[in-house]
Every structure is written in structure tokens, then in C-alpha cells.
Amino acid sequence: MTEQIKRMYINGEWVEAESGNTLEVKSPATGELIGVITYGDGRDTKKAIDAADAAFKEWGSATARERSKYLSELSALIHKNRNELAEIIAAELGKPIREAKGEVLGAADNFAWYAEEAKRVYGETVPSTFPNKRIHVMKQPVGVTAAITPWNFPINMAARKIAPALAAGCTVLLKPAEATPLTSVRVFELIEEAGFPKGVVNLVLGEPQKVGAEIMANKKVRKVTFTGSTAVGKLLMRQAADQMKRVSFELGGHAPFIVFEDADLDAAANGLFESKYRNAGQMCICTNRLYVHESVADEFAQKLVERTQKAVVGDGRNPETEIGPLVNQAGLDKVLDHIEDAKAKGAKVLTGGHRLTGGEYDQGFFCAPTILTDINPDMKIVSEETFGPVVPIITFKTEEEVIEAANASDFGLAAYMYSQNVSRCLRVPEKLEYGIVGVNDGSPTQTQAPFGGFKESGFGREGGKWGIEGFLETKFVSYGI
Ligand code: ADP
């Protein structure tokens, strides 16, 4: 094999897995080999934890301004290398290049934001009950932090965890997803270029269960921040219990998107398109249930079908592509299963409804963007996360009814509503049991806003001033004077 094997970054050095194992990374659009990584286990993870632990003493007590300098430098380097990073994301994930560029800029923005937020970790003094005592409250870094990330945002998921952790004074090991490790390798080359002291940020590439088991068993790891499936989140939470490890979880979603009879239907169709088809529907904030008032349902469905049929589906590296492939065979199988299940239980297909085949499609995991009607609550798509380009249309009659239906989910990450009625726009979000609500906005995420869910979508928040809280402990010092 001529391909150079990409290595892990531990204690400031590029190293191969103890096991000598490797893993191939392939394009989900064409099946071609695009890289090979070293693929480790608990032994490499332990080394990274030891390195992060040794580096914590200095990094955790450095001034915020010192830490900030490194974060700013990294932000600038990501910005400078944005095109190359976007191309790696498009190649390993199939994400449309335009979206990939947006994601890279988002990552640069996160590092820039937390370079500043590092300087705003304020303490407090609180008036005492007693004249001879003083109360001081200070914030300190939690300690060694393990960040476990999924494949759907290969750079920004890492940035949203690493940036606030480092800003707070924690040292970090990152374990990216198996499908998209090449982006992380490039980011760590930039981390090296930014000159971070050795051991402060480490990259572990390896088998999830083995890496995870070491992270959860090792007492030096004080905090685990995880984005991924609810099933793995629950497993990690159980494993964290023994040591009371700090955890924050950003898990699955099942977003309702509500179109009221007084909505601007064109704006709603655009918002839906964005919230459903971005990243081929592989986002935890993606619309999974579309509720449309019965009086505008036919008109809205028509608009959606027209827009969807024009969508360009293909390899993300092609600049015209609007919707890329699913990440792998399992992802495609799940989406097709949801479509077949809905059809078997009476759903009607307005457009799509099948795998795309023929020509270049035969090599990749492509699903036709799909719109379904005649949905009933027994269908998997109504309760399980589809993670693909499928829109089930459900009609409703009243505001109360649709709020109840929207909340009837174990998930609680994102919800959307479209209406031109000001009272309704204020009233309805208050009743939705979701951590993020887009009102006439199909793409609500921003660096400075809190991102996270209710219920089984997890807890803890990423983004803005909230994102750093999970990496800080609160210490109360009582002074007798
Ligand atoms: P998805 O279904 O989106 O791939 P996962 O929850 O399986 O979501 O994966 C998210 C991240 O969690 C990935 O980096 C994956 O390697 C990691 N992961 C999967 N299983 C475990 C585990 N048992 N312990 C720790 N990390 C895991």
C-alpha cells in the first residue's frame, strides 16, 4: 500500500497504535479508498490520558490570556486552511462542499469565541451572614477531558468540545468517529502548528468500545463530553456512575416542524428544505416529523415536491451537489427500512421512496429525497430517528393538538414552527419541550447560542457562555478574618 498511514497525536508526537492495526477510510459516494489510519485500543488511550494528566498542571494554572493566544492561533489556522479542510470533509463524509465550508468556518468561529470566553470565567464574592467571615466563589477547570464525537460534523463537533474545554483550562483527548477521522488528523496538524504545549490536546484513533472502556475506567479522566447515539450515551452514563465522572451528552433528536395556516408557505418550504436535507438529513436537529395545518397541507406538499424534485443529489465534492450520500450501508439500510415500513403501513409516496441507482449512484449510499403522506403513529418514522432525506407529512387541525403531538417524543432537541402570527410565535415555543426552537428559522444554530436537548436528547449545553460551564467546577472558599 502506497497510502501513508495517518497517525495519532499523543503528547505532542505522531504515533502508531500499539496493536499495529489499521483502518481504511472510504468515500460513501464512490467507495474509493481515501485514507488509512492507525487504529488503536485502550493502551493508546491510556497514553493519551497520562499525557493530558501530566500537562494539566501547567495548562490548568496558565492565565486565561495565555490559553487564549493558542486558541486564537488555531482559529486563524483553520480559517486559512478552510478549503482543504472542507475538501477532506466532502471526501470522507460526502457532505456537499458548500456545507462543508460552512462547517469549517463554524469551527474557526468556535475557537475564536472561546479564545475570548476564556477571559470571562468570573468568580463572585457573596455577602456573609457573619461580620468576621468572607465568602469567595471561584471557577476552576474540571481536569482531563475526553471528547467523543460523531461523523456528521467532523470538525465542528470537535471544535465545540475542544475549544471550551481548553479555554476553561482542561486538557483534552479527542476520539473522533471511525467514518471521518481524516478531518481530525488535519486539525491536529494545525494544533501542532499552533504550538500548543505537549500533552494539552491529544488525538486517539481506535476501536470505540476499547477506547471508551479505558476512558470510563481511568480515574484521571474527570469529564466526558459525548455527541452520538442515545444508546451509546446511556451506556457511557452507566459507566460514568462508578466514579461520578462529569458527563455531558448531546444525543439523538426527532424534530417536529410545524407549519401553521398563517405561515409564509414559501419561507416555510425553504426552511424545511434546509432543516431536512442538510447533510442528507444526517443531523440530530433535522426535521423528522412535518406537521402541516390541514387547510394548507396540499399547497405546501406541492411546493415541497417541486423543490425536492429539483434537488441535485450526488458526491459532495461536486460543487452543484445539494444532497450527498448517506454515510454508510447501515445508514442507508435504516432509511430504506423506515420508508418500507411506512409504505407497508399505508403511507403514500409523493416523491422518491427508493435507493438511487444507475451510473455513479451504484457505487455510493444514495437515497432519493422522499416525501410521504398518510402517516400514522405506528410507523417507525414517527418515533425513531431516521437520519436521512425523508419527510413524513402529518396534518393537524388545532394548535393544542399539534403541540401535544410535537411533544409526544422521547427526544427533545430541536423543534421548528412557521407562523406570521406574533402571539402564536411567542406562545407556542414556550410549550414545546425542546432545547432549541426555530421560529420562522430552519437553521437556528450559532456559535454564541446554547445547543442541547431536553429528555433523552441529553443534557449540558454547547455554545456561547453556556458551553464552558460543563468544563468548570465551582469552589467556595470561606475566609475567617
Ligand atoms: P452513530 O450511530 O451516529 O455512529 P455512535 O453513538 O455509535 O453514533 O457514535 C458516536 C461516537 O461514539 C463515535 O466516535 C463512536 O466511535 C463512539 N462510540 C461508539 N460506541 C462507543 C462505546 N461503546 N464507547 C465509547 N465510544 C463509543
Side-chain angles (χ1 to χ4, degrees), residues 206-254:
E207 289 175 56
Q209 289 79 3
K210 292 180 179 166
V211 174
E214 177 62 32
I215 287 172
M216 301 317 286
N218 195 315
K219 284 198 170 179
K220 290 178 180 169
V221 178
R222 298 288 180 80
K223 160 88 190 185
V224 177
T225 167
F226 171 80
T227 298
S229 61
T230 299
V232 174
K234 286 179 181 177
L235 173 79
L236 295 176
M237 187 153 170
R238 283 187 206 107
Q239 294 176 338
D242 278 348
Q243 297 170 12
M244 284 294 153
K245 271 192 213 301
R246 274 48 177 156
V247 283
S248 46
F249 292 120
E250 205 268 273
L251 308 174
H254 204 279

mmCIF file of all heavy atoms in Angstrom, residues 206-254:
data_model
loop_
_atom_site.group_PDB
_atom_site.id
_atom_site.type_symbol
_atom_site.label_atom_id
_atom_site.label_comp_id
_atom_site.label_asym_id
_atom_site.label_seq_id
_atom_site.Cartn_x
_atom_site.Cartn_y
_atom_site.Cartn_z
ATOM 1 N N GLY A 206 -9.072 4.775 17.363
ATOM 2 C CA GLY A 206 -9.130 3.375 17.770
ATOM 3 C C GLY A 206 -10.532 2.825 17.913
ATOM 4 O O GLY A 206 -11.525 3.515 17.682
ATOM 5 N N GLU A 207 -10.573 1.564 18.291
ATOM 6 C CA GLU A 207 -11.853 0.852 18.403
ATOM 7 C C GLU A 207 -12.710 1.486 19.509
ATOM 8 O O GLU A 207 -12.259 1.584 20.647
ATOM 9 C CB GLU A 207 -11.595 -0.606 18.765
ATOM 10 C CG GLU A 207 -10.988 -1.415 17.646
ATOM 11 C CD GLU A 207 -10.649 -2.824 18.105
ATOM 12 O OE1 GLU A 207 -11.557 -3.521 18.601
ATOM 13 O OE2 GLU A 207 -9.475 -3.198 18.000
ATOM 14 N N PRO A 208 -13.932 1.886 19.162
ATOM 15 C CA PRO A 208 -14.756 2.648 20.101
ATOM 16 C C PRO A 208 -14.921 1.982 21.476
ATOM 17 O O PRO A 208 -14.744 2.637 22.498
ATOM 18 C CB PRO A 208 -16.107 2.758 19.402
ATOM 19 C CG PRO A 208 -15.861 2.444 17.981
ATOM 20 C CD PRO A 208 -14.580 1.691 17.865
ATOM 21 N N GLN A 209 -15.237 0.681 21.485
ATOM 22 C CA GLN A 209 -15.506 0.035 22.773
ATOM 23 C C GLN A 209 -14.262 0.008 23.647
ATOM 24 O O GLN A 209 -14.337 0.242 24.861
ATOM 25 C CB GLN A 209 -16.023 -1.400 22.591
ATOM 26 C CG GLN A 209 -17.431 -1.495 22.027
ATOM 27 C CD GLN A 209 -17.459 -1.280 20.513
ATOM 28 O OE1 GLN A 209 -16.410 -1.119 19.875
ATOM 29 N NE2 GLN A 209 -18.646 -1.242 19.940
ATOM 30 N N LYS A 210 -13.108 -0.251 23.030
ATOM 31 C CA LYS A 210 -11.869 -0.350 23.815
ATOM 32 C C LYS A 210 -11.390 1.024 24.283
ATOM 33 O O LYS A 210 -10.975 1.185 25.431
ATOM 34 C CB LYS A 210 -10.780 -1.047 22.993
ATOM 35 C CG LYS A 210 -11.104 -2.514 22.767
ATOM 36 C CD LYS A 210 -10.033 -3.203 21.964
ATOM 37 C CE LYS A 210 -10.397 -4.681 21.785
ATOM 38 N NZ LYS A 210 -9.581 -5.324 20.754
ATOM 39 N N VAL A 211 -11.469 1.987 23.394
ATOM 40 C CA VAL A 211 -11.089 3.350 23.776
ATOM 41 C C VAL A 211 -12.044 3.840 24.867
ATOM 42 O O VAL A 211 -11.630 4.381 25.899
ATOM 43 C CB VAL A 211 -11.130 4.298 22.549
ATOM 44 C CG1 VAL A 211 -10.880 5.742 22.966
ATOM 45 C CG2 VAL A 211 -10.120 3.854 21.494
ATOM 46 N N GLY A 212 -13.341 3.612 24.634
ATOM 47 C CA GLY A 212 -14.362 4.047 25.596
ATOM 48 C C GLY A 212 -14.177 3.396 26.948
ATOM 49 O O GLY A 212 -14.291 4.053 27.991
ATOM 50 N N ALA A 213 -13.863 2.097 26.962
ATOM 51 C CA ALA A 213 -13.713 1.380 28.236
ATOM 52 C C ALA A 213 -12.564 1.975 29.056
ATOM 53 O O ALA A 213 -12.683 2.159 30.274
ATOM 54 C CB ALA A 213 -13.463 -0.105 27.968
ATOM 55 N N GLU A 214 -11.455 2.320 28.402
ATOM 56 C CA GLU A 214 -10.318 2.907 29.131
ATOM 57 C C GLU A 214 -10.676 4.304 29.658
ATOM 58 O O GLU A 214 -10.368 4.646 30.802
ATOM 59 C CB GLU A 214 -9.085 2.972 28.212
ATOM 60 C CG GLU A 214 -7.862 3.620 28.847
ATOM 61 C CD GLU A 214 -7.336 2.875 30.076
ATOM 62 O OE1 GLU A 214 -7.453 1.644 30.125
ATOM 63 O OE2 GLU A 214 -6.798 3.560 30.987
ATOM 64 N N ILE A 215 -11.339 5.071 28.807
ATOM 65 C CA ILE A 215 -11.742 6.428 29.230
ATOM 66 C C ILE A 215 -12.619 6.346 30.480
ATOM 67 O O ILE A 215 -12.411 7.067 31.456
ATOM 68 C CB ILE A 215 -12.516 7.145 28.086
ATOM 69 C CG1 ILE A 215 -11.549 7.557 26.971
ATOM 70 C CG2 ILE A 215 -13.275 8.357 28.620
ATOM 71 C CD1 ILE A 215 -12.229 8.099 25.712
ATOM 72 N N MET A 216 -13.577 5.433 30.459
ATOM 73 C CA MET A 216 -14.542 5.397 31.556
ATOM 74 C C MET A 216 -13.951 4.780 32.820
ATOM 75 O O MET A 216 -14.374 5.091 33.923
ATOM 76 C CB MET A 216 -15.812 4.632 31.123
ATOM 77 C CG MET A 216 -16.522 5.220 29.924
ATOM 78 S SD MET A 216 -16.686 7.023 29.895
ATOM 79 C CE MET A 216 -17.966 7.290 31.113
ATOM 80 N N ALA A 217 -12.955 3.891 32.655
ATOM 81 C CA ALA A 217 -12.377 3.223 33.827
ATOM 82 C C ALA A 217 -11.239 4.029 34.465
ATOM 83 O O ALA A 217 -10.910 3.837 35.627
ATOM 84 C CB ALA A 217 -11.849 1.842 33.418
ATOM 85 N N ASN A 218 -10.645 4.921 33.698
ATOM 86 C CA ASN A 218 -9.440 5.620 34.165
ATOM 87 C C ASN A 218 -9.816 6.831 35.035
ATOM 88 O O ASN A 218 -10.492 7.754 34.570
ATOM 89 C CB ASN A 218 -8.625 6.070 32.945
ATOM 90 C CG ASN A 218 -7.234 6.467 33.318
ATOM 91 O OD1 ASN A 218 -7.018 7.179 34.299
ATOM 92 N ND2 ASN A 218 -6.262 6.012 32.538
ATOM 93 N N LYS A 219 -9.344 6.803 36.285
ATOM 94 C CA LYS A 219 -9.741 7.854 37.226
ATOM 95 C C LYS A 219 -9.172 9.227 36.884
ATOM 96 O O LYS A 219 -9.634 10.248 37.392
ATOM 97 C CB LYS A 219 -9.297 7.475 38.641
ATOM 98 C CG LYS A 219 -10.174 6.423 39.262
ATOM 99 C CD LYS A 219 -10.006 6.390 40.756
ATOM 100 C CE LYS A 219 -11.099 5.496 41.324
ATOM 101 N NZ LYS A 219 -11.013 5.370 42.760
ATOM 102 N N LYS A 220 -8.139 9.234 36.039
ATOM 103 C CA LYS A 220 -7.566 10.534 35.675
ATOM 104 C C LYS A 220 -8.517 11.339 34.788
ATOM 105 O O LYS A 220 -8.396 12.543 34.688
ATOM 106 C CB LYS A 220 -6.230 10.331 34.952
ATOM 107 C CG LYS A 220 -5.133 9.834 35.882
ATOM 108 C CD LYS A 220 -3.852 9.604 35.110
ATOM 109 C CE LYS A 220 -2.756 9.112 36.052
ATOM 110 N NZ LYS A 220 -1.590 8.636 35.280
ATOM 111 N N VAL A 221 -9.439 10.655 34.117
ATOM 112 C CA VAL A 221 -10.410 11.378 33.267
ATOM 113 C C VAL A 221 -11.539 11.870 34.163
ATOM 114 O O VAL A 221 -12.245 11.086 34.780
ATOM 115 C CB VAL A 221 -10.982 10.466 32.160
ATOM 116 C CG1 VAL A 221 -12.028 11.215 31.330
ATOM 117 C CG2 VAL A 221 -9.871 9.948 31.270
ATOM 118 N N ARG A 222 -11.687 13.177 34.223
ATOM 119 C CA ARG A 222 -12.698 13.751 35.126
ATOM 120 C C ARG A 222 -13.988 14.124 34.408
ATOM 121 O O ARG A 222 -15.013 14.296 35.037
ATOM 122 C CB ARG A 222 -12.139 15.013 35.789
ATOM 123 C CG ARG A 222 -10.914 14.769 36.650
ATOM 124 C CD ARG A 222 -11.297 14.033 37.932
ATOM 125 N NE ARG A 222 -10.149 13.780 38.763
ATOM 126 C CZ ARG A 222 -9.592 14.681 39.574
ATOM 127 N NH1 ARG A 222 -10.085 15.897 39.641
ATOM 128 N NH2 ARG A 222 -8.551 14.356 40.297
ATOM 129 N N LYS A 223 -13.877 14.288 33.091
ATOM 130 C CA LYS A 223 -15.059 14.769 32.374
ATOM 131 C C LYS A 223 -15.137 14.085 31.008
ATOM 132 O O LYS A 223 -14.116 13.940 30.321
ATOM 133 C CB LYS A 223 -14.930 16.291 32.197
ATOM 134 C CG LYS A 223 -15.771 16.889 31.104
ATOM 135 C CD LYS A 223 -17.151 17.270 31.575
ATOM 136 C CE LYS A 223 -18.049 17.640 30.411
ATOM 137 N NZ LYS A 223 -19.358 18.131 30.816
ATOM 138 N N VAL A 224 -16.336 13.661 30.649
ATOM 139 C CA VAL A 224 -16.546 13.073 29.319
ATOM 140 C C VAL A 224 -17.627 13.890 28.621
ATOM 141 O O VAL A 224 -18.717 14.083 29.169
ATOM 142 C CB VAL A 224 -16.968 11.595 29.412
ATOM 143 C CG1 VAL A 224 -17.257 11.032 28.020
ATOM 144 C CG2 VAL A 224 -15.898 10.776 30.105
ATOM 145 N N THR A 225 -17.305 14.371 27.451
ATOM 146 C CA THR A 225 -18.304 15.090 26.663
ATOM 147 C C THR A 225 -18.538 14.294 25.387
ATOM 148 O O THR A 225 -17.594 13.976 24.662
ATOM 149 C CB THR A 225 -17.900 16.558 26.395
ATOM 150 O OG1 THR A 225 -18.767 17.098 25.390
ATOM 151 C CG2 THR A 225 -16.452 16.725 25.957
ATOM 152 N N PHE A 226 -19.784 13.921 25.154
ATOM 153 C CA PHE A 226 -20.104 12.961 24.103
ATOM 154 C C PHE A 226 -21.219 13.486 23.208
ATOM 155 O O PHE A 226 -22.229 14.000 23.694
ATOM 156 C CB PHE A 226 -20.553 11.640 24.758
ATOM 157 C CG PHE A 226 -21.111 10.631 23.785
ATOM 158 C CD1 PHE A 226 -20.275 9.845 23.010
ATOM 159 C CD2 PHE A 226 -22.488 10.464 23.646
ATOM 160 C CE1 PHE A 226 -20.796 8.910 22.106
ATOM 161 C CE2 PHE A 226 -23.021 9.538 22.748
ATOM 162 C CZ PHE A 226 -22.162 8.763 21.978
ATOM 163 N N THR A 227 -21.048 13.333 21.911
ATOM 164 C CA THR A 227 -22.153 13.523 20.965
ATOM 165 C C THR A 227 -22.261 12.249 20.147
ATOM 166 O O THR A 227 -21.258 11.760 19.611
ATOM 167 C CB THR A 227 -21.915 14.723 20.039
ATOM 168 O OG1 THR A 227 -21.834 15.907 20.826
ATOM 169 C CG2 THR A 227 -23.059 14.879 19.044
ATOM 170 N N GLY A 228 -23.456 11.714 20.080
ATOM 171 C CA GLY A 228 -23.659 10.481 19.317
ATOM 172 C C GLY A 228 -25.037 9.922 19.597
ATOM 173 O O GLY A 228 -25.966 10.665 19.944
ATOM 174 N N SER A 229 -25.146 8.612 19.461
ATOM 175 C CA SER A 229 -26.461 7.988 19.594
ATOM 176 C C SER A 229 -26.899 7.936 21.051
ATOM 177 O O SER A 229 -26.076 7.906 21.974
ATOM 178 C CB SER A 229 -26.400 6.569 19.032
ATOM 179 O OG SER A 229 -25.465 5.813 19.765
ATOM 180 N N THR A 230 -28.195 7.907 21.257
ATOM 181 C CA THR A 230 -28.742 7.823 22.609
ATOM 182 C C THR A 230 -28.326 6.503 23.251
ATOM 183 O O THR A 230 -28.025 6.458 24.453
ATOM 184 C CB THR A 230 -30.275 7.967 22.566
ATOM 185 O OG1 THR A 230 -30.568 9.261 22.003
ATOM 186 C CG2 THR A 230 -30.899 7.905 23.944
ATOM 187 N N ALA A 231 -28.237 5.436 22.468
ATOM 188 C CA ALA A 231 -27.866 4.126 23.026
ATOM 189 C C ALA A 231 -26.464 4.178 23.635
ATOM 190 O O ALA A 231 -26.254 3.741 24.777
ATOM 191 C CB ALA A 231 -27.927 3.061 21.936
ATOM 192 N N VAL A 232 -25.490 4.725 22.901
ATOM 193 C CA VAL A 232 -24.123 4.808 23.438
ATOM 194 C C VAL A 232 -24.071 5.819 24.588
ATOM 195 O O VAL A 232 -23.386 5.593 25.592
ATOM 196 C CB VAL A 232 -23.099 5.150 22.326
ATOM 197 C CG1 VAL A 232 -21.711 5.373 22.910
ATOM 198 C CG2 VAL A 232 -23.038 4.026 21.298
ATOM 199 N N GLY A 233 -24.814 6.898 24.484
ATOM 200 C CA GLY A 233 -24.880 7.883 25.576
ATOM 201 C C GLY A 233 -25.334 7.231 26.883
ATOM 202 O O GLY A 233 -24.754 7.464 27.954
ATOM 203 N N LYS A 234 -26.350 6.384 26.786
ATOM 204 C CA LYS A 234 -26.858 5.719 28.005
ATOM 205 C C LYS A 234 -25.802 4.769 28.575
ATOM 206 O O LYS A 234 -25.639 4.668 29.790
ATOM 207 C CB LYS A 234 -28.145 4.954 27.681
ATOM 208 C CG LYS A 234 -29.332 5.890 27.477
ATOM 209 C CD LYS A 234 -30.584 5.104 27.143
ATOM 210 C CE LYS A 234 -31.747 6.059 26.930
ATOM 211 N NZ LYS A 234 -32.971 5.372 26.535
ATOM 212 N N LEU A 235 -25.098 4.075 27.677
ATOM 213 C CA LEU A 235 -24.039 3.158 28.124
ATOM 214 C C LEU A 235 -22.951 3.944 28.868
ATOM 215 O O LEU A 235 -22.517 3.544 29.964
ATOM 216 C CB LEU A 235 -23.444 2.451 26.899
ATOM 217 C CG LEU A 235 -22.215 1.594 27.148
ATOM 218 C CD1 LEU A 235 -22.632 0.245 27.738
ATOM 219 C CD2 LEU A 235 -21.432 1.369 25.853
ATOM 220 N N LEU A 236 -22.526 5.065 28.294
ATOM 221 C CA LEU A 236 -21.467 5.862 28.920
ATOM 222 C C LEU A 236 -21.940 6.431 30.257
ATOM 223 O O LEU A 236 -21.177 6.511 31.219
ATOM 224 C CB LEU A 236 -21.024 6.998 27.987
ATOM 225 C CG LEU A 236 -20.363 6.562 26.672
ATOM 226 C CD1 LEU A 236 -20.049 7.772 25.799
ATOM 227 C CD2 LEU A 236 -19.086 5.759 26.923
ATOM 228 N N MET A 237 -23.202 6.796 30.320
ATOM 229 C CA MET A 237 -23.720 7.353 31.580
ATOM 230 C C MET A 237 -23.702 6.293 32.680
ATOM 231 O O MET A 237 -23.335 6.577 33.821
ATOM 232 C CB MET A 237 -25.134 7.879 31.383
ATOM 233 C CG MET A 237 -25.626 8.611 32.608
ATOM 234 S SD MET A 237 -26.838 9.821 32.177
ATOM 235 C CE MET A 237 -27.423 10.256 33.791
ATOM 236 N N ARG A 238 -24.049 5.073 32.319
ATOM 237 C CA ARG A 238 -23.977 3.989 33.308
ATOM 238 C C ARG A 238 -22.532 3.774 33.751
ATOM 239 O O ARG A 238 -22.246 3.632 34.936
ATOM 240 C CB ARG A 238 -24.509 2.683 32.705
ATOM 241 C CG ARG A 238 -26.001 2.655 32.643
ATOM 242 C CD ARG A 238 -26.536 1.287 32.205
ATOM 243 N NE ARG A 238 -27.822 1.507 31.588
ATOM 244 C CZ ARG A 238 -28.068 1.435 30.292
ATOM 245 N NH1 ARG A 238 -27.120 1.092 29.451
ATOM 246 N NH2 ARG A 238 -29.268 1.686 29.817
ATOM 247 N N GLN A 239 -21.614 3.781 32.777
ATOM 248 C CA GLN A 239 -20.205 3.548 33.110
ATOM 249 C C GLN A 239 -19.630 4.692 33.942
ATOM 250 O O GLN A 239 -18.711 4.490 34.732
ATOM 251 C CB GLN A 239 -19.380 3.384 31.822
ATOM 252 C CG GLN A 239 -19.743 2.122 31.044
ATOM 253 C CD GLN A 239 -18.987 2.027 29.711
ATOM 254 O OE1 GLN A 239 -18.522 3.030 29.176
ATOM 255 N NE2 GLN A 239 -18.899 0.834 29.168
ATOM 256 N N ALA A 240 -20.177 5.897 33.754
ATOM 257 C CA ALA A 240 -19.659 7.072 34.478
ATOM 258 C C ALA A 240 -20.060 7.053 35.948
ATOM 259 O O ALA A 240 -19.430 7.697 36.787
ATOM 260 C CB ALA A 240 -20.168 8.353 33.826
ATOM 261 N N ALA A 241 -21.111 6.299 36.260
ATOM 262 C CA ALA A 241 -21.686 6.346 37.611
ATOM 263 C C ALA A 241 -20.673 5.937 38.680
ATOM 264 O O ALA A 241 -20.601 6.565 39.743
ATOM 265 C CB ALA A 241 -22.917 5.443 37.672
ATOM 266 N N ASP A 242 -19.861 4.929 38.420
ATOM 267 C CA ASP A 242 -18.947 4.406 39.431
ATOM 268 C C ASP A 242 -17.997 5.455 39.987
ATOM 269 O O ASP A 242 -17.640 5.410 41.154
ATOM 270 C CB ASP A 242 -18.097 3.267 38.834
ATOM 271 C CG ASP A 242 -18.861 1.965 38.856
ATOM 272 O OD1 ASP A 242 -19.904 1.928 39.535
ATOM 273 O OD2 ASP A 242 -18.421 1.019 38.186
ATOM 274 N N GLN A 243 -17.540 6.349 39.123
ATOM 275 C CA GLN A 243 -16.572 7.364 39.572
ATOM 276 C C GLN A 243 -17.186 8.759 39.622
ATOM 277 O O GLN A 243 -16.473 9.738 39.822
ATOM 278 C CB GLN A 243 -15.365 7.391 38.626
ATOM 279 C CG GLN A 243 -14.582 6.105 38.603
ATOM 280 C CD GLN A 243 -13.550 6.110 37.482
ATOM 281 O OE1 GLN A 243 -13.268 7.128 36.861
ATOM 282 N NE2 GLN A 243 -12.984 4.950 37.210
ATOM 283 N N MET A 244 -18.499 8.841 39.419
ATOM 284 C CA MET A 244 -19.151 10.152 39.374
ATOM 285 C C MET A 244 -18.430 11.086 38.401
ATOM 286 O O MET A 244 -18.231 12.267 38.671
ATOM 287 C CB MET A 244 -19.190 10.815 40.763
ATOM 288 C CG MET A 244 -20.224 10.247 41.671
ATOM 289 S SD MET A 244 -21.851 10.612 41.006
ATOM 290 C CE MET A 244 -22.778 9.262 41.696
ATOM 291 N N LYS A 245 -18.035 10.523 37.268
ATOM 292 C CA LYS A 245 -17.385 11.369 36.257
ATOM 293 C C LYS A 245 -18.383 12.402 35.774
ATOM 294 O O LYS A 245 -19.555 12.081 35.590
ATOM 295 C CB LYS A 245 -16.986 10.513 35.047
ATOM 296 C CG LYS A 245 -15.616 9.902 35.141
ATOM 297 C CD LYS A 245 -15.219 9.329 33.787
ATOM 298 C CE LYS A 245 -14.345 8.103 33.921
ATOM 299 N NZ LYS A 245 -13.115 8.289 34.636
ATOM 300 N N ARG A 246 -17.907 13.596 35.547
ATOM 301 C CA ARG A 246 -18.769 14.626 34.952
ATOM 302 C C ARG A 246 -19.054 14.226 33.510
ATOM 303 O O ARG A 246 -18.123 13.787 32.800
ATOM 304 C CB ARG A 246 -18.076 15.984 34.944
ATOM 305 C CG ARG A 246 -18.215 16.799 36.215
ATOM 306 C CD ARG A 246 -17.930 16.014 37.423
ATOM 307 N NE ARG A 246 -18.007 16.819 38.625
ATOM 308 C CZ ARG A 246 -18.250 16.300 39.812
ATOM 309 N NH1 ARG A 246 -18.479 15.014 39.962
ATOM 310 N NH2 ARG A 246 -18.269 17.074 40.866
ATOM 311 N N VAL A 247 -20.297 14.349 33.097
ATOM 312 C CA VAL A 247 -20.644 13.979 31.722
ATOM 313 C C VAL A 247 -21.550 15.036 31.106
ATOM 314 O O VAL A 247 -22.329 15.684 31.817
ATOM 315 C CB VAL A 247 -21.385 12.614 31.658
ATOM 316 C CG1 VAL A 247 -20.427 11.448 31.814
ATOM 317 C CG2 VAL A 247 -22.499 12.522 32.696
ATOM 318 N N SER A 248 -21.426 15.234 29.827
ATOM 319 C CA SER A 248 -22.464 15.979 29.119
ATOM 320 C C SER A 248 -22.730 15.249 27.809
ATOM 321 O O SER A 248 -21.807 14.698 27.192
ATOM 322 C CB SER A 248 -22.099 17.447 28.910
ATOM 323 O OG SER A 248 -20.795 17.575 28.449
ATOM 324 N N PHE A 249 -24.000 15.230 27.449
ATOM 325 C CA PHE A 249 -24.440 14.398 26.334
ATOM 326 C C PHE A 249 -25.282 15.197 25.348
ATOM 327 O O PHE A 249 -26.239 15.857 25.745
ATOM 328 C CB PHE A 249 -25.303 13.242 26.847
ATOM 329 C CG PHE A 249 -24.551 12.231 27.657
ATOM 330 C CD1 PHE A 249 -24.907 11.986 28.973
ATOM 331 C CD2 PHE A 249 -23.494 11.533 27.110
ATOM 332 C CE1 PHE A 249 -24.216 11.043 29.731
ATOM 333 C CE2 PHE A 249 -22.795 10.591 27.863
ATOM 334 C CZ PHE A 249 -23.162 10.347 29.169
ATOM 335 N N GLU A 250 -24.918 15.080 24.104
ATOM 336 C CA GLU A 250 -25.743 15.649 23.042
ATOM 337 C C GLU A 250 -26.096 14.455 22.164
ATOM 338 O O GLU A 250 -25.253 13.943 21.439
ATOM 339 C CB GLU A 250 -24.915 16.712 22.317
ATOM 340 C CG GLU A 250 -25.770 17.744 21.640
ATOM 341 C CD GLU A 250 -26.045 17.329 20.226
ATOM 342 O OE1 GLU A 250 -25.243 17.640 19.344
ATOM 343 O OE2 GLU A 250 -27.080 16.646 20.027
ATOM 344 N N LEU A 251 -27.342 13.986 22.303
ATOM 345 C CA LEU A 251 -27.713 12.692 21.719
ATOM 346 C C LEU A 251 -28.684 12.868 20.549
ATOM 347 O O LEU A 251 -28.663 13.886 19.882
ATOM 348 C CB LEU A 251 -28.282 11.806 22.829
ATOM 349 C CG LEU A 251 -27.362 11.696 24.067
ATOM 350 C CD1 LEU A 251 -28.028 10.925 25.182
ATOM 351 C CD2 LEU A 251 -26.027 11.073 23.708
ATOM 352 N N GLY A 252 -29.508 11.885 20.352
ATOM 353 C CA GLY A 252 -30.374 11.912 19.167
ATOM 354 C C GLY A 252 -31.466 12.978 19.260
ATOM 355 O O GLY A 252 -31.650 13.639 20.275
ATOM 356 N N GLY A 253 -32.175 13.127 18.162
ATOM 357 C CA GLY A 253 -33.303 14.058 18.121
ATOM 358 C C GLY A 253 -34.412 13.499 17.255
ATOM 359 O O GLY A 253 -34.241 12.461 16.587
ATOM 360 N N HIS A 254 -35.556 14.166 17.296
ATOM 361 C CA HIS A 254 -36.671 13.771 16.429
ATOM 362 C C HIS A 254 -37.516 15.022 16.223
ATOM 363 O O HIS A 254 -38.636 15.123 16.725
ATOM 364 C CB HIS A 254 -37.493 12.649 17.085
ATOM 365 C CG HIS A 254 -38.246 11.827 16.084
ATOM 366 N ND1 HIS A 254 -39.442 12.243 15.549
ATOM 367 C CD2 HIS A 254 -37.957 10.640 15.513
ATOM 368 C CE1 HIS A 254 -39.862 11.313 14.696
ATOM 369 N NE2 HIS A 254 -38.978 10.336 14.655
#
